Amino acid sequence: MNETAPAANFIRTIITDDLQSGRRQQVVTRFPPEPNGYLHIGHAKSICLNFGLATDFAGRCHLRMDDTNPEKESVEYAEAIKEAVRWLGFDWGEHLFYASDYYEQLYQWAEELIRTGKAYVDSLSAEEVRQYRGTLTEPGRESPYRSRSVAENLDLFRRMRRGEFADGAHTLRAIIDVTSPNLNLRDPVLYRIQRVPHYRTGDAWCIYPMYDFAHPLSDAIEGITHSICTLEFEDHRPLYDWFIANCSVPARPQQIEFARLNLTYTVMSKRKLLELVTGRHVGGWDDPRLPTLVGMRRRGYPPAAIRTFCERIGVGKTDSLIDMGVLEECVRDDLNRSAPRAMAVLRPLKVVVENFPADEVEQFEVANHPGDPALGSRKVPFTREIFIEQDDFLETPPKGFFRLFPGGEVRLRGAYILRCEQVVRDGDGQISELRCSIDPATRGGANPPGRKIKGTIHWVSAPHALEAEVRLYDRLFTVANPGGEKGRDFKELLNPDSLQVLTGCRLEPGLAAVDGGSRQFERLGYFCRDQDSTAERLVFNRTVTLRDSWVAKGGSDSGVAG
RNA sequence: UGGGGUGUAGCCAAGUGGUAAGGCAGCGGCCUUUGGAGCCGCCAUUCGCAGGUUCGAAUCCUGCCUCCCCAGCCA
């Protein structure tokens, strides 16, 4: 793969300026997921951005678990996150961190804020705090506990830590400005009491820091220079800066916000994804229809394709909705170059080659990649009985159809030119098989002068064929922006046909050996072996179809492309 | 009606006072034993709208409009 110059974006501009002006001597970024769910393609955008920046500016990128809410976090999620980042192709080296490792330091800074008169212990209930906060248009009111003495605050806060109070009895809040038009500055909560064991610190703590407090300080501890997050935190930046300015931190990181990724026909919020998984609307976090990284991995998306995608869509501040087609095109791009070709028939139609001897097996040498001889070739058996795709035969072909029809000819890839002599029906009038003949002069792809055949189709020798299950995937939702339909539960918009399971598919025998990696099933798309495969039962996933200008032109295709 | 953002082609996105990059999609052609791949060409007199400054404006100024985010002891 050729390296191309990274696309320009406003964050690169900021960093370049910082380095040139001497404001920064190095670049340290971080990817800070909360281990409360699986990573998705939206996270991939952030991962590629943060790790990519670090690489391009010869800096480093940390992986930090932003684990400040024990209620929702687990080692399962933390491990899955590490695995996903690794799979995507990034390496954090020695720089794996946990916000939970900073709890003591964070606590000390909280005491510092109390000592400097910038934080107090509040004893309002959650409901009261909400009432005191005011609204978007009305200023808030100061809590009656706001004027407690430093000594009293310190005492109360230490007792909070010691576990002397019930959950929710007190909080530690910053003293900023309850009348600020920015709600985040209306005395934000710094610590809450939560008697929940933490997946890493166990029961060492019963008070936990809030994101707004923990995040900037964690960045400072790690010496992060550019703390890149998504747009919804833009309003939090004054608060981010406030903590950096009011705690004796060792570094002054800068927060920069960019627009999160949205993709058509899917949802990207952890909450919605969790709902799909727990509600059994999909098979699990790794369901190939999901935009999760584990789902895409199982579906056969190469990590390099995801990286290309993230590069291609750019980084900006405008809310965007990227067409799923862009991602799919990146997948095709990658797989077209790398995937060996093979032949597989998804909906078999039996063909008897009448002028080919019943007891003969002919082995054809077929190239594994039409454009890359380095991928070599393989032998494919040909016999009197073969299967072709049902869609490749039409009794009454429309104009422009250049596959098989009665009296017509097509080329069997790598074998012979085939002519349809007769259509055989069963008792119900359904086509049960085709009686055909081959032209011996076209053996192995030979092309006698003057012989012009427009269509080439794939085929599989019937007695050699492997039987398999093939899973076809379509968009998960029926509307482009399921999360944007107001007043409607996004689950009502699920596409009932997003998964199509085909059984009795026939594969060329060489496919038995495939375990990892992708194959192109010629003319059908890219496929990979699914983890559900067993010795007796082969299962393949269709990663993505090939582009199909016949279908695009309105040509009928009864579902192979579906 | 408060605050913070954002508007450049169907979808993304460069551009930072000197006359609209690039990608995806689309369209036309060539080539082809995958209706695939590859190759060539076309595709914004105009940058949300209206004024203004300037020899010159997507870039500067004024006003208006759109859409997104914020009232968790979530992140």
Side-chain angles (χ1 to χ4, degrees):
Chain A
M1 243 185 297
N2 291 323
E3 294 295 326
T4 48
N9 65 55
F10 76 101
I11 298 179
R12 279 178 191 281
T13 304
I14 291 172
I15 293 178
T16 302
D17 288 352
D18 284 348
L19 258 20
Q20 273 170 2
S21 69
R23 204 171 88 83
R24 300 283 183 193
Q25 282 70 49
Q26 59 173 344
V27 173
V28 185
T29 58
R30 105 265 92 115
F31 172 62
E34 182 189 14
N36 68 344
Y38 282 70
L39 262 27
H40 53 64
I41 183 86
H43 293 109
K45 179 180 180 184
S46 176
I47 294 167
C48 291
L49 214 209
N50 280 294
F51 279 92
L53 251 15
T55 300
D56 296 342
F57 288 95
R60 61 177 199 267
C61 181
H62 299 179
L63 173 61
R64 179 169 78 234
M65 299 298 164
D66 214 350
D67 52 1
T68 56
N69 184 0
E71 211 129 34
K72 300 179 175 173
E73 297 153 8
S74 72
V75 298
E76 177 206 347
Y77 289 136
E79 289 309 308
I81 286 169
K82 288 196 274 177
E83 178 60 25
V85 175
R86 249 184 251 118
W87 174 74
L88 239 202
F90 296 100
D91 180 11
W92 53 84
E94 300 302 299
H95 311 290
L96 171 64
F97 302 107
Y98 296 82
S100 51
D101 282 345
Y102 308 144
Y103 282 174
E104 183 59 37
Q105 171 66 263
L106 261 17
Y107 175 86
Q108 294 305 327
W109 274 320
E111 282 208 356
E112 179 185 7
L113 287 176
I114 292 173
R115 267 184 257 105
T116 53
K118 290 165 184 158
Y120 66 101
V121 171
D122 196 9
S123 305
L124 251 27
S125 69
E127 173 59 25
E128 290 168 324
V129 167
R130 192 182 325 142
Q131 284 164 2
Y132 274 78
R133 186 159 32 229
T135 67
L136 293 180
T137 52
E138 297 161 11
R141 287 138 55 210
E142 294 186 354
S143 164
Y145 302 100
R146 200 181 200 243
S147 51
R148 289 214 254 232
S149 69
V150 168
E152 186 181 5
N153 282 323
L154 227 35
D155 174 61
L156 252 17
F157 188 48
R158 286 172 181 168
R159 289 165 61 195
M160 279 169 65
R161 176 179 182 167
R162 267 185 256 126
E164 294 184 20
F165 306 114
D167 286 16
H170 307 283
T171 55
L172 183 72
R173 299 179 67 182
I175 296 179
I176 305 183
D177 177 10
V178 294
T179 68
S180 172
N182 181 345
L183 306 205
N184 295 120
L185 298 180
R186 322 245 263 225
D187 286 8
V189 171
L190 271 40
Y191 272 89
R192 74 283 209 185
I193 302 172
Q194 232 176 154
R195 255 162 250 279
V196 175
H198 186 278
Y199 76 101
R200 293 190 77 242
T201 59
D203 57 4
W205 295 83
C206 65
I207 58 171
Y208 292 93
M210 300 289 289
Y211 166 86
D212 282 318
F213 176 70
H215 204 88
L217 300 178
S218 298
D219 283 344
I221 289 170
E222 295 176 20
I224 301 298
T225 55
H226 304 269
S227 180
I228 299 165
C229 63
T230 44
L231 249 30
E232 66 271 26
F233 293 104
E234 210 150 17
D235 282 343
H236 296 238
R237 197 190 327 136
L239 187 49
Y240 184 101
D241 293 338
W242 191 90
F243 289 118
I244 295 301
N246 289 287
C247 298
S248 43
V249 293
R252 306 188 144 255
Q254 173 191 3
Q255 175 177 300
I256 303 170
E257 313 84 10
F258 72 99
R260 65 182 334 142
L261 169 67
N262 294 295
L263 262 188
T264 56
Y265 299 101
T266 191
V267 290
M268 211 74 91
S269 87
K270 278 194 195 174
R271 196 212 94 217
K272 290 189 175 113
L273 292 173
L274 215 211
E275 211 174 323
L276 291 177
V277 172
T278 56
R280 306 282 179 123
H281 296 99
V282 295
W285 286 104
D286 66 348
D287 189 298
R289 292 168 293 180
L290 253 23
T292 52
L293 263 14
V294 279
M296 291 184 169
R297 178 180 189 172
R298 185 169 178 183
R299 173 128 168 200
Y301 282 21
I306 294 174
R307 281 184 251 124
T308 300
F309 171 74
C310 292
E311 189 64 36
R312 218 173 256 191
I313 58 176
V315 178
K317 297 190 69 160
T318 52
D319 291 308
S320 62
L321 179 61
I322 309 283
D323 196 299
M324 186 66 93
V326 178
L327 211 208
E328 292 179 338
E329 195 49 35
C330 293
V331 172
R332 290 192 188 98
D333 250 26
D334 183 291
L335 262 17
N336 173 50
R337 275 180 274 107
S338 63
R341 318 278 118 132
M343 291 195 285
V345 174
L346 263 30
R347 298 165 213 266
L349 171 59
K350 189 165 127 188
V351 167
V352 177
V353 183
E354 295 184 299
N355 62 342
F356 194 86
D359 52 1
E360 194 175 321
V361 177
E362 188 163 14
Q363 298 285 347
F364 286 110
E365 195 73 29
V366 180
N368 288 331
H369 192 117
D372 187 359
L375 292 196
S377 62
R378 67 194 187 283
K379 285 205 172 1
V380 181
F382 181 86
T383 56
R384 177 180 167 88
E385 289 195 0
I386 62 174
F387 289 113
I388 66 169
E389 208 69 63
Q390 286 172 19
D391 285 326
D392 287 338
F393 174 79
L394 236 38
E395 235 177 336
T396 49
K399 49 266 141 243
F401 180 82
F402 44 82
R403 276 112 97 160
L404 196 60
F405 51 87
E409 290 182 321
V410 281
R411 192 183 295 275
L412 293 176
R413 167 124 249 204
Y416 295 97
I417 286 177
L418 182 80
R419 178 187 182 83
C420 175
E421 309 287 358
Q422 189 194 154
V423 179
V424 180
R425 297 172 181 286
D426 61 19
D428 304 324
Q430 295 297 308
I431 297 173
S432 57
E433 66 175 51
L434 263 25
R435 309 295 291 195
C436 299
S437 62
I438 48 147
D439 178 350
T442 59
R443 181 172 179 281
N447 209 15
R451 208 84 156 71
K452 269 285 184 187
I453 296 294
K454 202 77 184 287
T456 297
I457 64 173
H458 56 279
W459 54 274
V460 173
S461 163
H464 296 87
L466 256 30
E467 220 171 300
E469 172 180 321
V470 173
R471 298 172 183 172
L472 308 182
Y473 304 102
D474 196 0
R475 42 188 60 156
L476 225 205
F477 291 91
T478 55
V479 300
N481 189 12
E485 301 275 318
K486 357 196 172 306
R488 269 187 94 179
D489 183 346
F490 75 103
K491 296 194 289 323
E492 292 171 23
L493 304 168
L494 281 163
N495 174 11
D497 302 316
S498 58
L499 168 64
Q500 205 177 142
V501 178
L502 265 29
T503 54
C505 303
R506 311 299 171 110
L507 318 181
E508 67 169 68
L511 255 10
V514 173
D515 43 2
S518 293
R519 288 288 184 288
Q520 183 196 99
F521 290 178
E522 292 208 38
R523 305 206 304 133
L524 298 174
Y526 298 94
F527 295 74
C528 65
R529 184 173 164 143
D530 188 79
Q531 62 196 39
D532 285 348
S533 292
T534 61
E536 311 80 50
R537 177 163 157 271
L538 273 176
V539 180
F540 277 82
N541 293 316
R542 185 176 64 193
T543 305
V544 66
T545 60
L546 255 32
R547 297 177 73 190
D548 189 337
S549 61
W550 169 245
V551 170
K553 274 185 203 136
S556 59
D557 221 328
S558 54
V560 167

